[in-house]
Amino acid sequence: MIEPFDDTYFMKKALQEAEIAFEKGEIPVGAVIVIDNRIIARGHNLTETLTDVTAHAEMQAITAAANFLGGKYLKGCTLFVTLEPCQMCAGALYWSQIDKIVFGARDKDRGCINLKTKLHPKTKIEGGILEDEASALLKRFFIVKRNLN
């Protein structure tokens, strides 16, 4: 039997995706989707690269997971994302019927919790996993960006 990984392990994988986004000049948000203790999808922000405001990390991961599973519903899956999902991503997660969302840093201005965005009734949400690391990466990105302009 495979020993189960904990939430920290999977959030570290999402942070690796966020680092890839950072290196591309994208806002550093990363995501992975897990089912049965196995990563089935990865994503990071690509809004600048694709010139697409919908190309958030969560959207990339949702699409990859649906393709992997061969269907639009992500029942039995958990999303690990470095930043609390926005309303758009929360809406897509609602329709995907994902079981659980685990995020790192809170987004007090645009996050789904403060904006009271409705999630699927069966979806659980948990925040603050590796929050300091996720927040530090975002802060570093915006410091670098300010200094370049």
Side-chain angles (χ1 to χ4, degrees):
M1 183 171 146
I2 297 173
E3 196 62 34
F5 296 105
D6 65 3
D7 288 355
T8 303
Y9 172 83
F10 291 116
M11 189 59 74
K12 285 179 182 175
K13 297 299 183 184
L15 280 164
Q16 289 174 353
E17 289 296 315
E19 287 282 355
I20 294 168
F22 184 99
E23 291 166 14
K24 291 179 178 179
E26 299 277 356
I27 294 175
V29 178
V32 297
I33 295 180
V34 175
I35 190 169
D36 296 329
N37 212 32
R38 177 179 172 205
I39 295 173
I40 61 166
R42 299 170 185 270
H44 54 269
N45 271 357
L46 288 171
T47 59
E48 300 297 327
T49 303
L50 299 177
T51 326
D52 180 355
V53 297
T54 68
H56 290 195
E58 300 95 324
M59 303 297 271
Q60 302 302 309
I62 290 167
T63 300
N67 286 336
F68 178 88
L69 295 171
K72 62 184 177 181
Y73 297 118
L74 303 182
K75 294 177 181 180
C77 294
T78 300
L79 167 74
F80 291 86
V81 62
T82 58
L83 182 64
E84 177 185 343
C86 69
Q87 287 189 75
M88 174 187 69
C89 293
L93 290 161
Y94 175 98
W95 292 112
S96 78
Q97 300 181 21
I98 198 158
D99 279 13
K100 187 174 181 185
I101 300 166
V102 178
F103 66 87
R106 288 277 322 260
D107 186 345
K108 292 179 179 112
D109 294 328
R110 292 176 214 85
C112 64
I113 294 172
N114 208 35
L115 295 173
K116 296 178 175 59
T117 307
K118 187 172 180 170
L119 294 171
H120 192 273
K122 293 182 180 177
T123 299
K124 297 175 191 77
I125 188 164
E126 177 184 347
I129 306 299
L130 299 181
E131 181 175 10
D132 292 341
E133 293 86 338
S135 293
L137 182 58
L138 286 160
K139 287 175 188 165
R140 184 166 51 112
F141 174 80
F142 286 109
I143 288 169
V144 169
K145 191 155 184 75
R146 260 185 248 117
N147 289 335
L148 291 177
N149 291 333

